[in-house]
Amino acid sequence: MGRKVGIWMYQNGGGDKIEKKIVKKLKERGIKSFSGLNLRNAYVKNGHIYHDKLKVDKLDLFFSYNAGEQTQYQVFLYEALSRVIPTINSYEAFELTEDKFQTSFLLQHNGVPTPEFRLHHRDDNHYLEKIIKKWKKMVYKPTDGWGGVGLTKIENQETLDMLLPFLNQMDLRFFYVEKFVKYDNTDYRVDIVDGQFVGCYGRRASGSDWRTNITSGGSVFLREPNDEIIDLAIKAAKICKTDIAGVDIIYDLEREEYVVLEVNGIPAFATPEQEKMGLNFNDKKIELIVDLIDKKTKSKEN
Ligand SMILES: Nc1ncnc2c1ncn2[C@@H]1O[C@H](COP(=O)(O)OP(=O)(O)O)[C@@H](O)[C@H]1O
Ligand SMILES: [Mg+2]
């Protein structure tokens, strides 16, 4: 019986072509792929997870690489599946990196510099007032957000006073706030697969915006990382136990050191347009992912 893996991968921005390359390379190694394996369409019966007639839990591995389209149901099954077969990323790492507080906490606890942050119960308004006095500027962040959406810069007591009634109206459990880092409005996105450096590019915020996200108007540019940045990204990926990670790093001008903003568990490959610009790490990333799938499924075969 040959090895079999399930793949659920994003299709936009060149994802479909990347998937085809991965499938081809896996085939060359005798590994059969079942692509388009959307757990949204799966169901559970008699202790098995089915997708059409396929028993997903009998596969040797599940590769989940679709950030945008996960429903709660899918994520629920991803969790169950990861208890019985290897998944990339592991559900544990996926869940961790989906949450900015959990990620920053674990990183900081393990000595990786991150922006300073605080977590408080939602009733602890007075702490926020204390913190803004101390930090001068801070960022309110939804812990499960993406693309810079919902990030709110709080620059003074007045902004805080204005925001608090709204936050109190929402059914929040807590406040997660970060000190606003003084930086040059550019970042490094460093891709890591299986503890190895894959590639790096930079993003620059547009005009007056302080967020580098493409969805917030930021633009991508070619950027070489130094060893310190690469080591930091590798360390962050290891702490988060992410087989695949895109680590976002900025340089804190006040602390004079690099800090990790977040770890993305499903970092996009370079799009065809970005490849034209010179972002040329896709093939290396594909190779390392195929190696990783090969390695993780080998033990089962013997
Ligand atoms: N503490 C901070 N200080 C200054 N800028 C920040 C801070 N946190 C985030 N940013 C900016 O906002 C962008 C989005 O923040 P991030 O935490 O990566 O959330 P998202 O998941 O929305 O990308 C970052 O790329 C960075 O440009
Ligand atoms: Mg980000």
Side-chain angles (χ1 to χ4, degrees), residues 71-135:
T71 66
Q72 276 190 350
Y73 180 75
Q74 254 175 299
V75 172
F76 202 43
L77 286 188
Y78 184 4
E79 182 176 6
L81 188 60
S82 75
R83 295 182 199 280
V84 291
I85 64 169
T87 64
I88 295 177
N89 282 324
S90 71
Y91 180 77
E92 187 192 355
F94 164 78
E95 188 189 34
L96 175 81
T97 54
E98 286 290 287
D99 190 291
K100 292 193 207 310
F101 161 70
Q102 301 290 346
T103 305
S104 301
F105 169 73
L106 193 67
L107 290 176
Q108 212 182 53
H109 180 81
N110 285 286
V112 168
T114 69
E116 278 189 65
F117 66 87
R118 295 281 194 280
L119 186 83
H120 278 287
H121 189 274
R122 65 174 186 150
D123 293 339
D124 291 349
N125 286 355
H126 61 286
Y127 276 110
L128 285 181
E129 288 167 12
K130 265 194 183 163
I131 297 165
I132 188 81
K133 277 205 187 81
K134 183 167 180 242
W135 284 350

Side-chain angles (χ1 to χ4, degrees), residues 100 147-148 187 189 203 213 248 261-262 264:
K100 292 193 207 310
D187 70 5
R189 157 59 64 89
R203 282 168 308 188
N213 305 82
D248 290 345
L261 271 188
E262 68 167 342
N264 293 277

Side-chain angles (χ1 to χ4, degrees), residues 9-10 12-19 21-22 63 65 189 191 193 198 201 244 266-275 279 281-290:
M9 174 140 179
Y10 72 90
N12 57 339
D16 50 352
K17 297 216 171 65
I18 301 282
E19 178 178 324
K21 285 191 183 174
I22 293 175
F63 178 53
Y65 214 72
R189 157 59 64 89
D191 273 20
V193 175
V198 177
Y201 57 91
I244 304 179
I266 311 173
F269 286 81
T271 63
E273 298 76 47
Q274 290 169 347
E275 284 193 285
L279 268 62
F281 58 81
N282 278 357
D283 285 340
K284 185 171 175 192
K285 187 163 165 177
I286 290 169
E287 198 65 38
L288 285 172
I289 290 175
V290 169

Side-chain angles (χ1 to χ4, degrees), residues 18-237:
I18 301 282
E19 178 178 324
K20 283 205 178 79
K21 285 191 183 174
I22 293 175
V23 168
K24 185 165 173 270
K25 284 189 177 286
L26 286 172
K27 196 175 168 200
E28 286 163 11
R29 300 190 193 197
I31 303 170
K32 187 174 166 152
S33 304
F34 292 84
S35 43
L37 223 170
N38 186 352
L39 292 179
R40 158 75 182 77
N41 303 323
Y43 60 95
V44 182
K45 196 174 133 184
N46 299 335
H48 294 291
I49 299 171
Y50 289 90
H51 187 274
D52 291 330
K53 293 273 176 296
L54 180 74
K55 275 185 187 160
V56 186
D57 52 283
K58 291 294 177 194
L59 293 170
D60 296 292
L61 183 139
F62 181 57
F63 178 53
S64 180
Y65 214 72
N66 197 332
E69 301 169 41
Q70 303 255 23
T71 66
Q72 276 190 350
Y73 180 75
Q74 254 175 299
V75 172
F76 202 43
L77 286 188
Y78 184 4
E79 182 176 6
L81 188 60
S82 75
R83 295 182 199 280
V84 291
I85 64 169
T87 64
I88 295 177
N89 282 324
S90 71
Y91 180 77
E92 187 192 355
F94 164 78
E95 188 189 34
L96 175 81
T97 54
E98 286 290 287
D99 190 291
K100 292 193 207 310
F101 161 70
Q102 301 290 346
T103 305
S104 301
F105 169 73
L106 193 67
L107 290 176
Q108 212 182 53
H109 180 81
N110 285 286
V112 168
T114 69
E116 278 189 65
F117 66 87
R118 295 281 194 280
L119 186 83
H120 278 287
H121 189 274
R122 65 174 186 150
D123 293 339
D124 291 349
N125 286 355
H126 61 286
Y127 276 110
L128 285 181
E129 288 167 12
K130 265 194 183 163
I131 297 165
I132 188 81
K133 277 205 187 81
K134 183 167 180 242
W135 284 350
K136 308 288 186 280
K137 288 182 193 174
M138 65 185 178
V139 184
Y140 168 83
K141 278 190 189 182
T143 51
D144 60 352
W146 53 272
V149 179
L151 266 67
T152 310
K153 189 171 167 186
I154 304 174
E155 300 199 61
N156 48 42
Q157 182 68 43
E158 289 74 53
T159 336
L160 182 61
D161 290 343
M162 223 166 63
L163 193 68
L164 275 177
F166 289 102
L167 293 179
N168 286 331
Q169 258 178 34
M170 292 193 279
D171 196 18
L172 298 175
R173 285 172 291 166
F174 49 73
F175 296 121
Y176 174 73
V177 287
E178 285 178 8
K179 181 174 177 180
F180 185 81
V181 176
K182 204 171 154 214
Y183 77 119
D184 66 356
N185 286 0
T186 70
D187 70 5
Y188 294 83
R189 157 59 64 89
V190 188
D191 273 20
I192 305 292
V193 175
D194 196 18
Q196 296 176 65
F197 170 68
V198 177
C200 172
Y201 57 91
R203 282 168 308 188
R204 182 179 285 112
S206 84
S208 57
D209 207 302
W210 50 278
R211 294 162 305 172
T212 57
N213 305 82
I214 312 296
T215 30
S216 303
S219 52
V220 166
F221 62 99
L222 289 181
R223 193 170 213 188
E224 285 297 322
N226 60 30
D227 289 346
E228 196 184 341
I229 294 169
I230 294 175
D231 290 347
L232 190 60
I234 290 175
K235 193 172 173 196

